[in-house]
Amino acid sequence: MPHSPTSQFAAHEPRRRPVPDRGRTLLGPALRLVHTGQAPTRSALTSGLDVTRATAGAVTAELEALGLITVDSRPAGGGRGRPSHRLAVDPAGPVVVAAQLHADGVSVSLAGLGGRLVEPVHLPLPAATDPVRLLRAVTETGARLAADSDRRCLGIALALPNPVTEPDGTALAALHFAWPSGTPVADLFAAEVARADFGPGAPAELPSAVANDANLAALAEHRHGAGRDARHLLLVTSGHRGVGGALVIDGRLHTGSAGLALEVGHLTVDPQGRRCPCGNRGCLNSETDPDALLAAAGRTADPARPVLAQARELARSAAVNPAARAAVEHVVDRLGLGLAGLVNILNPDRIVLSGLHLDLLAGAPERLAAVVADRCLWGRSGRMPIVPAQVRHAGLVGAAELAWEPYLDDPQAAAPA
């Protein structure tokens, strides 16, 4: 069995304080506040929950006893009023496995609370990419990381580069892997997870989940990055291939009636443009992804290197390379058209760009803002904030959020069996 997580500030098991019934219902909201950095002290938690100091103390004692947070016995001073105890996620606490499939590889990591990843493992795609064998490779890698860790594993979640229906978890249009439309990916993944050994202390039936990678990246940015205080956050991203998007409204992902909302990659921005894998021409998907940028510069991707890395290098050379500059401006103009259309429909209060789009924003920030403002009704009355993503490995961090969700709802479920 792994060692019991303990506070880094105390050598002994924390004294459990009785938690009244109301306090138990506050465990989830309290853990979310600490997890997202909104309650760095017990005073901030008291305010965030709108409870008495005694109730906040009982709640934090329970979360500490569960091995989820630490309560520093040395109060945080420096301000007016009574100093308050510092709160943090427990660095020795349990973890989940976060995984992400890319068009040309696999990433897997362990993740604690607070959006904290252990350094991810990046692997090439296996030779066989049929659903069962690919999901098995992901599961086996995650199980190996968990079994080698001295922290209990509580769950696993996978970010996929294709639409995923809710609540059944089927994959639609998995174009990168040629999976049949309607592949029951959630069920197949759960079956592989059930066969794997995630180390001592892991639940007998380890919870598993799958979701679209752009949705999960938006969740990560909203909780831990550039979208923290946004009410209506639009994220648009281009990873290894294609374009994804997601919308967070009042802290919740907007996924539509079946989990398929915000497939922004198939918004047409040039009817005579490049052919998209979906069969149409000029989709945002095919006009603003890494392949599109390389093509605009007259280059062909080197198959021996990740296409995203090649496109990012090209975008970053725009300041000194006229051909790269022209290519960036060409792609930025099409990205701006797509963003303007989305803003006209969704009226977000912030746009976060990630992946290659982050580099396009850095390469031509004024041009992108001007295109959006010119084509957007709301942009003409005031520039729409377009900001770079802040979360590194946002797809993985978002997958971790998905895996942690049952425990953020019910922290007592994290108690050792």
Side-chain angles (χ1 to χ4, degrees), residues 71-286:
V71 181
D72 192 341
S73 60
R74 298 165 297 177
R80 294 185 176 183
R82 181 182 298 180
S84 182
H85 297 284
R86 296 181 180 90
L87 306 179
V89 300
D90 191 334
V95 294
V96 296
V97 175
Q100 183 173 11
L101 286 180
H102 310 285
D104 53 5
V106 179
S107 298
V108 186
S109 177
L110 299 181
L113 285 165
R116 299 178 180 178
L117 295 180
V118 177
E119 189 61 31
V121 173
H122 302 289
L123 304 170
L125 287 177
T129 59
D130 62 275
V132 171
R133 278 185 279 194
L134 188 47
L135 294 173
R136 182 169 298 160
V138 170
T139 303
E140 289 176 350
T141 301
R144 188 162 54 251
L145 292 177
D148 289 344
S149 172
D150 60 358
R151 299 165 69 180
R152 285 189 303 129
C153 179
L154 296 181
I156 182 171
L158 173 64
L160 293 168
N162 51 262
V164 180
T165 62
E166 295 176 353
D168 53 321
T170 62
L172 301 182
L175 304 174
H176 301 304
F177 312 121
W179 292 355
S181 184
T183 296
V185 63
D187 291 342
L188 294 174
F189 189 46
E192 293 303 324
V193 169
R195 295 187 184 99
D197 179 6
F198 287 81
E205 296 183 5
L206 193 78
S208 64
V210 298
N212 172 260
D213 55 2
N215 283 343
L216 295 179
L219 195 60
E221 288 292 340
H222 188 267
R223 291 184 179 178
H224 303 292
R228 274 181 187 249
D229 57 348
R231 284 194 59 208
H232 295 173
L233 171 69
L234 172 64
L235 177 132
V236 179
T237 182
S238 180
H240 294 243
R241 282 187 174 85
V243 175
L247 182 67
V248 178
I249 301 176
D250 288 330
R252 294 185 176 275
L253 277 170
H254 174 72
T255 56
S257 62
L260 306 177
L262 270 291
E263 278 300 314
V264 304
H266 301 290
L267 181 69
T268 300
V269 293
D270 182 359
Q272 307 303 317
R274 290 161 51 84
R275 180 74 69 180
C276 178
C278 74
N280 293 326
R281 284 192 176 275
C283 293
L284 197 66
N285 204 50
S286 57

Side-chain angles (χ1 to χ4, degrees), residues 234 236-237 335 339 351-355 357-358 361 368 386-389:
L234 172 64
V236 179
T237 182
L335 177 59
L339 294 180
I351 299 172
V352 174
L353 299 183
S354 69
H357 291 168
L358 187 152
L361 174 64
L368 181 59
I386 305 174
V387 300

